Amino acid sequence: MRRLGVLLRLSVSFLTSLPLDPGEYRPGDLAKAAVFFPLVGLGIGWVLFLVYSVVSVEAQDPLLATFATLLLWVLLTRGLHIDGVADVCDALWVQREKRQAVLKDPRIGTFGVLGILFVLGAKGMLLVRLSGGALPLVLAPLFGRTVALLFGAFFQVPPRETPGLAEEFVGRVSWSTFLLWAAAVAVLSFFIAEWRAVLKTLVSFGIMFTLGRGMARAFGGVTGDVVGAGVEWGEVVWLFLWEM
């Protein structure tokens, strides 16, 4: 039980900006802590839902509610996955042999900026258009962190001279962990909008798996930046399909 507590604190401290001491870290703990990633995402979703709902009711302004929610979304996750979007978008536009070097470059280029603007703009537009209440917002971060499990379970890290954090996660998440949380997302979706929502959930996972395969081909495997970008893109896909 003590190790489970350590792994839970590790997942919270890794995925959020909360000042939580993860305790003693052992090699392989990140992959083991992944079982809690969607749970942390669900917690983030509830916080975002409460903020969006309160601001919407008090200010009677969906634009202001959207701005407050997006700001909190970035601050609460400390821009961890947004950074992955920027790096991946920059790297995709250079020659294949230079892509790993671009991913490691701390600077951000034009396509990285455009990628961030697209993700935040898409989320903002979809939040403004939320129909039938903001409850789907609860599940968006949950879905995004389950996409991280998908990438960690079904793909491998590209061969490289200097191992990174991705080696602790990608290819080391069990399929059963992903399938368990994917089923949980589908069940929770059913309670919101019944079978139509379940179908959208399955389509969303299919889109993200296809995107993951494309990224694996482009980079020779899946890196930590690709996982982070997948989380952000997954949240956009989830909200987009919900509005269809």
Side-chain angles (χ1 to χ4, degrees):
M1 290 298 294
R2 182 176 179 275
R3 285 301 298 167
L4 286 177
V6 170
L7 296 177
L8 177 58
R9 292 198 302 272
L10 174 61
S11 63
V12 173
S13 64
F14 181 69
L15 294 175
T16 73
S17 56
L18 298 179
L20 190 64
D21 181 12
E24 179 188 0
Y25 182 82
R26 300 175 185 174
D29 273 358
L30 187 60
K32 295 176 182 177
V35 69
F36 294 114
F37 282 10
L39 183 62
V40 175
L42 186 60
I44 293 172
W46 274 112
V47 172
L48 298 177
F49 167 75
L50 290 174
V51 170
Y52 185 89
S53 300
V54 169
V55 177
S56 295
V57 171
E58 295 297 326
Q60 294 294 311
D61 188 343
L63 289 179
L64 183 58
T66 294
F67 174 77
T69 303
L70 281 179
L71 179 61
L72 180 62
W73 208 332
V74 173
L75 293 178
L76 192 56
T77 59
R78 70 179 189 281
L80 174 67
H81 309 305
I82 285 287
D83 178 69
V85 172
D87 289 341
V88 169
C89 288
D90 277 335
L92 283 173
W93 293 92
V94 301
Q95 295 177 341
R96 186 183 180 90
E97 59 271 16
K98 296 180 180 179
R99 287 173 180 169
Q100 292 298 327
V102 172
L103 290 178
K104 296 178 181 178
D105 193 332
R107 295 171 296 181
I108 184 172
T110 301
F111 290 107
V113 173
L114 291 175
I116 292 175
L117 290 176
F118 171 79
V119 167
L120 293 180
K123 284 184 177 181
M125 178 191 68
L126 292 167
L127 286 177
V128 170
R129 290 177 54 87
L130 276 178
S131 58
L135 198 55
L137 178 58
V138 175
L139 300 187
L142 166 63
F143 178 80
R145 276 75 190 164
T146 308
V147 168
L149 299 188
L150 187 156
F151 283 13
F154 291 94
F155 301 106
Q156 299 294 324
V157 180
R160 47 189 181 179
E161 296 179 0
T162 305
L165 192 61
E167 277 75 7
E168 288 280 311
F169 179 78
V170 178
R172 302 188 66 178
V173 177
S174 68
W175 292 10
S176 59
T177 299
F178 162 71
L179 292 175
L180 175 65
W181 276 109
V185 176
V187 170
L188 291 173
S189 301
F190 175 80
F191 285 120
I192 295 178
E194 299 186 343
W195 291 109
R196 185 179 181 184
V198 175
L199 177 60
K200 290 181 179 181
T201 299
L202 296 177
V203 171
S204 297
F205 279 122
I207 291 173
M208 295 313 300
F209 179 76
T210 303
L211 182 60
R213 290 188 62 180
M215 292 296 101
R217 286 196 297 269
F219 293 99
V222 168
T223 67
D225 285 318
V226 172
V227 174
V231 171
E232 292 290 339
W233 293 336
E235 291 172 343
V236 172
V237 167
W238 169 265
L239 291 173
F240 176 78
L241 289 182
W242 194 268
E243 287 304 302
M244 291 184 64

